[in-house]
Amino acid sequence: MYFSKKESTKKMESLKECTGTTVSSSQALPLHTLHPLRRTFFNRVFASVYTCAILALVYHHVLTLFNCRNVAFFSVTLSILLSDLVLAFMWVASQSFHMRPVHRKEYPENLEKIMKPSDFPALDVFICTADPYKEPPINVVNTALSVMAYDYPTEKVSVYVSDDGGSALTLFAFMEAAKFASHWLPFCREKNITVRSPEVYFGTSNHSWCSETEKIKALYESMKSRVEHVVETGNVSDECVNGDEERETFSKWTDGFTRQDHPTVIQVLLENIKDRDITGNLLPNLIYVSRQKSKTSRHNFKAGALNTLLRVSAVMTNAPIVLTLDCDMYSNDPKTPLRVLCYVCDSATRSDLAYIQFPQRFRGLNKNDMYASEIKRVFVINFLGFDGLKGPTYVGTGAFFCRRAFFGDPSTFMSPEIPQLHPNHAVDKPLKSPSILSLAHQVAGCNYENQTNWGCKMGFRYGSLVEDYYTAYWMHCDGWRSIFCHPERPAFYGDAPIALVDLINQNKRWVIGLLEVTFSKYSTLTFGIRRIGLMGLSYAHYSCWPFWAIPITVYAFLPQLALLMGVSIFPEVSEPWFLLYSFLFIGAYAKECLEFILEGSTFRKWWNDQRIWMIRGLTCFLFGSIEYLLQSFGISASGFNVTSKVLDDEQSKRYEQEIFEFGVPSPMFVTLATSAIINLFSFFKGFLDIISGNNMEGLFLQMFLAGFLMVNCLPVYEAMFLRSDKGKMPTKITLISTFLAGALYAAASHIF
């Protein structure tokens, strides 16, 4: 059901009242400013010149194609042309990020001068977890405690924890956290500490120690010990339970209760109208939610869990602002909500604002970020460009949503199926009232979404494993805007994978999800570009990530195999076309490196980023595309695999020493190792040919390419031939890769 435009306007006015006092950006005290980057003009000039160079390269390939001497050379040229066309499209799509990049700055100190805390809008926080063994409950607890301790009126904060694993271990951890919060929150206020994750705070030495600090630390260590003991034993025993109320709660975990099949569990652990800390101040709401699961019903992974939280929170608190967080993404700045209000409470930006996205940042990265976990190009450089258009995409965490954005477009409100889910609905009963709890259980049922618009027109969108990207894509297509908030002090910190296999498995899931969008009815390549123009091209750049596998794979094998046979497939050094190839390579790499450095990174981090990009192309991009293709024919099916947040001591030590972690015999390592072997032997074969004076000019570009890839593969050679630790390349992978490299050499000898 849709409201008319007149009715929708009334609803919007009601929502504005809900968000408290509003301010205009034209007032003497600005809440935020926006400045275009000075390098915009250079970006546009470079894009024009580089486009001409790409067109010249395509022209050269077409000429070469018409002058091929045989089928083999025709096939090689066609493969390179296809690869360069993919590279050209990806480069053109990426230019949408460089047309109008902007920097924003917020002034939360001004907000506090023109608004009273009592006028601040309420805030619902969603924290998602799914597996107590891959995502340790004590880490999730630290995330929750860090946002519960925001410098924000506690009576306006509600924290919802979605446990999609349906684990009693996670519930026990949050029962303990609720008790510890009564000590931790007043301690944070009194000491005015900035880092409000207890684990991080007590793990650093840059704070003053006193008897009170020692007392709070002892309380935390005691809680942590109890939680970790329960997780280790895998059971909440009777001695861990205090009182009949807690015992009754855990009685729901019967023999028939499994993570795939169980009833809804909603437990109010703290209620802000009655629960107080040790100083007498009210505590925030803390609610544990495990939605109903059934083997016969689709649960839609994380998107389904978030939609359940949207409905449950609407019934219980219905705050107009919603923050979504990954379970390991703790708050690093207690004033972050005030930065958000600088936009939400400004009439100039509020009318069509869907969400404010903060960049993902990670703690514990080694000195040069060898796995490029910071993903600076995606989470910072590209987002500055996104922000100059309609705003950044949603990255699944660190985003503050306006609840209204989940119900239709800015001008047409889509009504939910019951009035209690309306974003303007005023909750007038306590959280634990029977009617509230009954309705909350109802909307968390596994069949509740049947015959409704949830997941297709309302809430977080279904249809892709990358629900965050797909939801943001639809919001922008519907006319909403978003804002990239990138303060000097990171708002959130999380944990990054320290094993290569975890990184590429996570990326493989992204690849499958992106391809689901690319080849859907609402493809970014067709529907997106028509609907939102340049912004659609930005989304197409991301959705076509898997296509990087084509040029990376071709350039990792084909020129090197030709080099082994002494066959030249690129222009000679003395030819004018050589300068074109040189400009295209050096220009692209130099500009990208410059952007990294201008955004506060280093040359070594940029180098590691481009190396990981090549590794992705030969592993997760390639295998994710194959898995998607098989899935399309019904041969295999993908699922949502939780990335492990558990740290191994030996792995951590190797990570700090910047030693690549292989260890697991993943099939994805086979193509990587095979490419490394081919490039190594082709480089030395070409080097010997050049020394002997055989076609030095004709083989130079192939020699350079093989050498460049060989340098990038140094960690692979070390893992295959020089290391003996548990993180080395498995012998099985080395043997298979060597055999495949030999087979490719034999095939090349017949082709060339």
Side-chain angles (χ1 to χ4, degrees), residues 576-692:
W577 294 111
F578 173 83
L579 297 176
L580 176 65
Y581 275 79
S582 301
F583 169 74
L584 287 168
F585 179 85
I586 296 172
Y589 269 76
K591 183 174 183 295
E592 190 176 273
C593 179
L594 179 63
E595 287 176 334
F596 262 69
I597 292 172
L598 287 174
E599 290 304 323
S601 196
T602 64
F603 174 82
R604 283 291 302 276
K605 286 185 177 181
W606 165 79
W607 177 265
N608 287 334
D609 183 89
Q610 63 84 32
R611 171 166 56 197
I612 288 296
W613 205 253
M614 293 183 188
I615 290 175
R616 287 190 183 110
L618 290 169
T619 55
C620 50
F621 287 176
L622 179 62
F623 279 78
S625 300
I626 294 171
E627 186 169 328
Y628 170 78
L629 185 63
L630 294 175
Q631 176 184 316
S632 300
F633 289 105
I635 298 175
S636 67
S638 61
F640 187 97
N641 296 314
V642 178
T643 303
S644 177
K645 309 295 192 304
V646 180
L647 301 180
D648 177 87
D649 289 339
E650 288 187 21
Q651 285 185 357
S652 298
K653 184 177 180 181
R654 288 192 290 270
Y655 179 75
E656 286 301 318
Q657 295 172 343
E658 300 194 10
I659 298 173
F660 267 64
E661 187 73 32
F662 294 95
V664 179
S666 170
M668 286 188 283
F669 291 152
V670 173
T671 47
L672 177 62
T674 304
S675 171
I677 293 170
I678 291 288
N679 278 274
L680 178 67
F681 281 98
S682 65
F683 177 80
F684 284 109
K685 172 63 166 56
F687 183 72
L688 293 175
D689 285 347
I690 288 176
I691 290 177
S692 61

Side-chain angles (χ1 to χ4, degrees), residues 92 114 135 277 282 320 380 452 477 548 698 703:
V92 168
I114 55 182
E135 299 170 335
D277 62 33
L282 290 170
V380 177
T452 71
C477 285
W548 282 108
M703 271 282 297

Side-chain angles (χ1 to χ4, degrees), residues 538-553:
S538 300
Y539 271 102
H541 175 78
Y542 282 130
S543 70
C544 292
W545 264 12
F547 297 160
W548 282 108
I550 296 171
I552 291 176
T553 303

